[in-house]
Amino acid sequence: VNEIVEESGQFIKKITRLQTIVGMRSDYYADRGTVRNALELRLQPKPDKYYSLQLIDDPRGATRFRETVTNTSASSEDPVTREQQTVTEDRFRLSLQFAKRFWFTTGRIGIIENSGGLGIDLHLLGDDLEISTDLFSFADNLNPRQRAWGTYNFFNHLYVSGGVDEIWNRESRDVFLGFGLRFNDDDLKTILTTAPTPSF
């Protein structure tokens, strides 16, 4: 019984230490004149690590490569016909990452916008300023897609951002500016308890 109680207590402590962080972000791309939106759910069991799940609405949609090989006897020189297509669909993109922090640096690895990738965040000015970069989509373009940006928290839950996307692909390169907000469990509880009660 003592072992069961002790294990149950340890499990409850882990659950109570788990923080749920919700974030929303919008970025305006200057050259395309479009807006990229993202919704993030972050599960953080410890201050130095977390699991991130993101749903991204990118105007470029999801791109996939399709190749069709057909054998034919119509041509004696080239009896094999290859047809290559790049199909872009208007779908949401999904990111699922594991992040671990070491001092002022956080490393991330996992799925970034439907493809394998990795990222790094640098935390400066008491974590108010973050310099980040992602590297992913190794097969979609001639060069992998790299995005670099900075975010600055100017208020409790609000931040502004700006950066460059598609750094290594000149035809798709674009700059963006945006803003976002982020709440954790305690923040949400504070907002709900201090919100005025409607009267009828």
Side-chain angles (χ1 to χ4, degrees):
V1 173
N2 290 335
E3 290 180 359
I4 293 175
V5 171
E6 184 178 354
E7 292 178 359
S8 300
Q10 293 177 356
F11 177 75
I12 292 174
K13 286 181 180 178
K14 291 181 180 180
I15 294 298
T16 54
R17 285 200 303 263
L18 180 66
Q19 280 195 335
T20 303
I21 301 172
V22 179
M24 289 169 282
R25 175 176 171 179
S26 295
D27 295 316
Y28 176 77
Y29 280 72
D31 289 345
R32 301 187 187 96
T34 56
V35 178
R36 175 183 176 274
N37 300 300
L39 175 66
E40 180 185 19
L41 176 63
R42 184 181 297 183
L43 300 178
Q44 189 164 350
K46 293 183 178 180
D48 62 342
K49 72 175 183 179
Y50 63 86
Y51 304 89
S52 173
L53 174 63
Q54 283 188 330
L55 188 64
I56 299 104
D57 178 20
D58 194 326
R60 290 184 296 179
T63 302
R64 55 191 176 88
F65 178 77
R66 178 191 298 167
E67 182 178 26
T68 304
V69 179
T70 305
N71 293 321
T72 177
S73 58
S75 174
S76 60
E77 298 179 358
D78 187 8
V80 178
T81 302
R82 295 178 182 269
E83 181 181 357
Q84 298 179 346
Q85 290 181 329
T86 301
V87 182
T88 301
E89 300 176 345
D90 186 13
R91 295 190 304 168
F92 286 97
R93 298 184 180 187
L94 186 69
S95 296
L96 180 61
Q97 302 177 70
F98 168 73
K100 176 69 175 178
R101 179 166 178 168
F102 302 94
W103 295 286
F104 61 90
T105 304
T106 297
R108 294 176 283 107
I109 190 170
I111 299 173
I112 301 179
E113 300 192 17
N114 295 356
S115 69
L118 50 91
I120 296 177
D121 304 316
L122 300 179
H123 309 277
L124 307 170
L125 302 179
D127 290 356
D128 286 337
L129 176 64
E130 287 186 9
I131 307 297
S132 306
T133 184
D134 286 341
L135 188 64
F136 59 102
S137 292
F138 295 93
D140 289 349
N141 298 297
L142 181 61
N143 298 310
R145 181 177 178 182
Q146 184 176 10
R147 181 190 302 123
W149 73 96
T151 60
Y152 180 73
N153 296 296
F154 66 95
F155 196 61
N156 289 339
H157 314 295
L158 300 175
Y159 63 86
V160 292
S161 61
V164 183
D165 202 347
E166 295 279 14
I167 295 177
W168 303 111
N169 297 296
R170 181 177 300 178
E171 297 79 7
S172 305
R173 188 181 304 156
D174 204 347
V175 297
F176 61 89
L177 295 173
F179 70 96
L181 52 111
R182 188 178 294 146
F183 298 94
N184 61 21
D185 291 339
D186 297 332
D187 296 332
L188 291 174
K189 290 177 184 177
T190 302
I191 292 174
L192 292 176
T193 55
T194 58
T197 305
S199 58
F200 300 96

